[in-house]
Amino acid sequence: MAEEQGKTGKGINTGKLATNMQKRLSRAQEKVLQKLGKADETRDTAFEEGVANFNKQMAEGTKLQKDLRAYLAAVQTMHDASKRLQDCLADMYEPEWFGKEEVDTIAEETDILWSDYHDKLVDNSMIAMDTYLAQFPDIKARIAKRDRKMTDYDSARHHFGSLQKGKKQDQAKIAKPMSLVEKAAPGWAQGILSAHQIAQTNLTRNQAEEELGRAQKVFEEINVDLQDELPQLWNSRVGFYVNTFQSMAGYQQRFHKDMGKLNQDLNDVMTKLDEQRLANEAAAANHSVTPDAAPKTRPAPPGPAPVRPPPSPRPSLTPAPDTQQDIISFDGEALVPDANTTTPSQATAPSQATAPSQATTPSQPQAASWDSWETDTAVEAAAGAATTAVTNGSSEVLPAGVIYKVKAMHDYAATDGDELEMKAGDVVLVLAWENPDEQDDGWLMGVKESHWLENKDLLAKGVFPENFTQKL
């Protein structure tokens, strides 16, 4: 039983193979006849135009798919490069720098943004592209099948046509008496032979007609389907391109918007980090201190060491009575005593509250020590200093807060932001320190007189070495 089924299967396969080979030969023969012009070919101009559009559409779609895959690969490459760059920044960003946590967050959000952008492109654009192109191979195969069935239809049509054309010739041949047969056969047998020939001819014609009908039916079915599908497929390309590139544009817009915000956040962090750096450098340059650190002292002023001027000649403390109102000479210069200044004799004159015995006693000049003279001189200098805060011993009025004037004897180039640069000959108004604890030995605070005369303010003040100046 099994052997019989195997033989039957082999017979069926052999029959199908023979049939297919016969069809291929018939098609090849028909094509040759059509090219030689000996057989006509079924032509459909509209269908041929649809096939040309189909081939163009398939080529464009295939190229778009290839370029889209290249774009996705580039996005993935950019994602990997961005992640490595952000990781490098996060690793080298020191914890004490400004915005360490913000930098780590930006790196994480950047990685998520790249991944989301790539996934959306794959899920929406790439998958839609693959689905769009998946329909082309099937339609292409059906077009090729339609061409084969059209050749079969043309072959069957030509075969049936040739039989129809030879019908009259066959009938004429049958009507003629067959010389040998007719002569040998009796009369009743000659009719049977004619009928047999007619039957054979009709059978062949009927078979050709049936074959033509089958070939025409198969061809028209597939031809009608393709004539409906090809124009629809051709028109669908516009909507597909619109959806594909609209979605890609939307994804790109949102991606770049969010990425721009992250870049702005990173730029703000870098700006504040740079401000922190500049502030630290300025603090170091200005000798800024922390609350737990001891204040730094300004170094000793450069240049020549301060030299105390020699003391003036000691004046006589017991002038003669006849010279009490005379001019007292210091270093050869005559000074007129002030009307409010008390002379030594006046200082020792008895008051009205003195006892009579003391009042009648003539004043005797008393010897004064050098220490008492220095004390008196210091008192007078203090009183004079208080006066010079307004008049400086002359008619010139000084600004409030100015103690006295000095004159620069040497050029001084400022080496720090809070120092005052001077040229030899500049006059400087000396100011009192706002916080005496900040004053360093050998340094004064002041503003140039030229600035005061031009601007009438004491804002451009600075410190300078005292030993570069001479008090006026």
Side-chain angles (χ1 to χ4, degrees), residues 82-398:
S82 174
K83 188 175 187 306
R84 289 193 297 268
L85 183 62
Q86 293 292 337
D87 291 343
C88 179
L89 176 62
D91 292 341
M92 71 181 184
Y93 210 90
E94 299 182 5
E96 64 272 12
W97 290 357
F98 177 86
K100 170 61 177 175
E101 295 182 357
E102 287 82 351
V103 169
D104 294 340
T105 302
I106 291 172
E108 182 179 355
E109 292 181 355
T110 300
D111 180 57
I112 295 175
L113 188 60
W114 274 107
S115 298
D116 182 67
Y117 177 53
H118 182 271
D119 293 342
K120 285 183 177 178
L121 288 177
V122 172
D123 295 340
N124 295 275
S125 300
M126 197 67 230
I127 293 179
M129 187 76 234
D130 294 340
T131 303
Y132 170 74
L133 286 180
Q135 57 188 334
F136 285 87
D138 177 67
I139 297 178
K140 183 178 180 180
R142 291 165 62 193
I143 291 175
K145 182 178 180 180
R146 184 255 184 195
D147 291 340
R148 295 192 301 270
K149 296 306 178 182
M150 184 181 68
T151 303
D152 294 342
Y153 169 68
D154 288 341
S155 178
R157 182 168 54 85
H158 294 154
H159 179 61
F160 180 75
S162 63
L163 290 177
Q164 287 289 93
K165 186 183 295 184
K167 179 179 180 181
K168 294 180 179 180
Q169 299 176 356
D170 293 340
Q171 290 177 352
K173 291 179 181 179
I174 294 172
K176 293 180 180 180
M178 294 182 295
S179 58
L180 297 177
V181 175
E182 288 178 353
K183 290 179 179 180
W188 60 268
Q190 293 180 2
I192 296 175
L193 290 174
S194 298
H196 177 72
Q197 289 180 353
I198 293 172
Q200 289 292 334
T201 303
N202 291 334
L203 178 61
T204 304
R205 187 182 299 111
N206 291 335
Q207 290 176 349
E209 186 177 4
E210 291 177 0
E211 183 67 24
L212 175 61
R214 287 194 299 269
Q216 183 178 4
K217 181 180 179 182
V218 173
F219 168 72
E220 288 180 352
E221 286 179 354
I222 190 171
N223 184 60
V224 170
D225 292 341
L226 288 175
Q227 284 182 344
D228 293 337
E229 292 181 16
L230 288 179
Q232 294 177 2
L233 180 63
W234 173 250
N235 295 330
S236 68
R237 74 193 192 284
V238 178
F240 172 75
Y241 295 156
V242 169
N243 294 333
T244 300
F245 286 96
Q246 269 189 346
S247 61
M248 288 185 63
Y251 300 147
Q252 288 180 349
Q253 182 181 11
R254 287 191 292 271
F255 169 76
H256 290 297
K257 180 181 178 180
D258 296 339
M259 186 62 71
K261 184 178 182 302
L262 292 178
N263 290 333
Q264 183 61 47
D265 294 342
L266 182 60
N267 181 67
D268 294 341
V269 172
M270 294 296 104
T271 300
K272 292 180 180 179
L273 177 62
D274 189 54
E275 293 175 356
Q276 183 187 53
R277 176 186 65 84
L278 295 176
N280 293 338
E281 291 179 356
N286 293 329
H287 309 287
S288 62
V289 297
T290 59
D292 298 333
K296 297 180 180 179
T297 58
R298 187 179 298 276
V307 179
R308 182 184 296 276
S312 302
R314 181 178 299 179
S316 174
L317 299 181
T318 56
D322 56 349
T323 60
Q324 291 180 0
Q325 303 299 327
D326 292 344
I327 299 173
I328 301 175
S329 175
F330 291 90
D331 295 335
E333 296 182 359
L335 301 176
V336 179
D338 189 8
N340 297 325
T341 305
T342 304
T343 61
S345 60
Q346 292 173 338
T348 57
S351 62
Q352 294 179 359
T354 308
S357 60
Q358 294 176 348
T360 57
T361 304
S363 61
Q364 299 294 331
Q366 299 179 359
S369 65
W370 178 257
D371 293 336
S372 64
W373 180 84
E374 288 185 339
T375 303
D376 295 339
T377 303
V379 172
E380 293 175 359
T387 305
T388 55
V390 180
T391 63
N392 198 26
S394 65
S395 61
E396 181 183 3
V397 178
L398 297 179

Side-chain angles (χ1 to χ4, degrees), residues 30-39:
E30 185 66 23
K31 290 292 184 182
V32 171
L33 293 175
Q34 290 175 355
K35 289 182 179 181
L36 294 176
K38 295 182 178 181

Side-chain angles (χ1 to χ4, degrees), residues 427-439:
V427 177
V428 181
L429 306 179
V430 180
L431 306 175
W433 290 76
E434 296 179 358
N435 185 1
D437 296 337
E438 296 179 355
Q439 183 175 5

Side-chain angles (χ1 to χ4, degrees), residues 26-95:
S26 299
R27 291 166 186 166
Q29 183 180 4
E30 185 66 23
K31 290 292 184 182
V32 171
L33 293 175
Q34 290 175 355
K35 289 182 179 181
L36 294 176
K38 295 182 178 181
D40 62 338
E41 180 181 2
T42 302
R43 303 296 299 268
D44 189 342
T45 305
F47 183 83
E48 292 175 357
E49 182 179 354
V51 172
N53 292 336
F54 170 81
N55 293 330
K56 178 182 177 182
Q57 184 179 1
M58 183 173 62
E60 291 176 349
T62 303
K63 184 178 183 302
L64 178 59
Q65 183 187 45
K66 179 180 178 182
D67 293 340
L68 184 57
R69 286 177 177 173
Y71 179 79
L72 289 175
V75 170
Q76 184 62 47
T77 302
M78 281 296 299
H79 179 196
D80 297 338
S82 174
K83 188 175 187 306
R84 289 193 297 268
L85 183 62
Q86 293 292 337
D87 291 343
C88 179
L89 176 62
D91 292 341
M92 71 181 184
Y93 210 90
E94 299 182 5

